[in-house]
Amino acid sequence: MFLFRRNAPRVTVDEARGRTSGDRPGSVLLDVREKPEWTAGHAPGAVHLPLTKLVAGVTLPAEAQGRPLVVICRSGHRSQQAAKLLTERGAQVVDVEGGMNAWAAAGHPVLDERGNHGRIT
């Protein structure tokens, strides 16, 4: 008998923003892009942990531990990998379709490392 692991469910950027924003967000937005991408522009309130570090076994940042996760990258490819890995580790995870490209295209805010208007690279 073959067992197939299901990929983490995917959500739209609007669903992701709804789950991770507000006074008491139900989930943590986990950005798995590399440091230069994060520095150039990320979603407000997101937590950063590059996929390369996650694959290497680095634990989740304290603010993401034990919380439902919404994983995002630039286009959705790396976040799918991260979501699968985190699901296998027992986390409750969804992946954002279209990533930060879709986030910015939808008009959602993007901030740079100084809190100014950022850009997706």
Side-chain angles (χ1 to χ4, degrees):
M1 178 169 153
F2 291 97
L3 297 176
F4 295 96
R5 291 193 188 266
R6 291 183 56 203
N7 289 334
R10 302 194 91 192
V11 296
T12 67
V13 291
D14 291 334
E15 291 170 316
R17 187 166 186 213
R19 290 180 183 209
T20 61
S21 62
D23 292 336
R24 295 175 50 137
S27 300
V28 172
L29 185 62
L30 181 67
D31 192 321
V32 296
R33 296 175 300 146
E34 294 301 317
K35 178 83 171 162
E37 295 171 289
W38 165 265
T39 301
H42 57 272
V47 174
H48 184 232
L49 179 62
L51 177 60
T52 53
K53 289 187 178 185
L54 189 61
V55 168
V58 172
T59 59
L60 289 170
E63 59 266 46
Q65 292 180 9
R67 305 258 327 266
L69 302 171
V70 177
V71 184
I72 196 164
C73 66
R74 184 178 59 226
S75 64
H77 181 71
R78 286 174 285 179
S79 60
Q80 283 182 307
Q81 293 174 25
K84 182 178 179 187
L85 179 63
L86 289 163
T87 298
E88 290 171 354
R89 293 180 184 174
Q92 183 182 347
V93 184
V94 296
D95 167 47
V96 181
E97 290 182 86
M100 286 301 296
N101 286 333
W103 181 277
H108 298 314
V110 176
L111 303 176
D112 68 11
E113 66 182 328
R114 294 185 180 98
N116 297 318
H117 180 73
R119 59 187 175 83
I120 307 306
T121 60

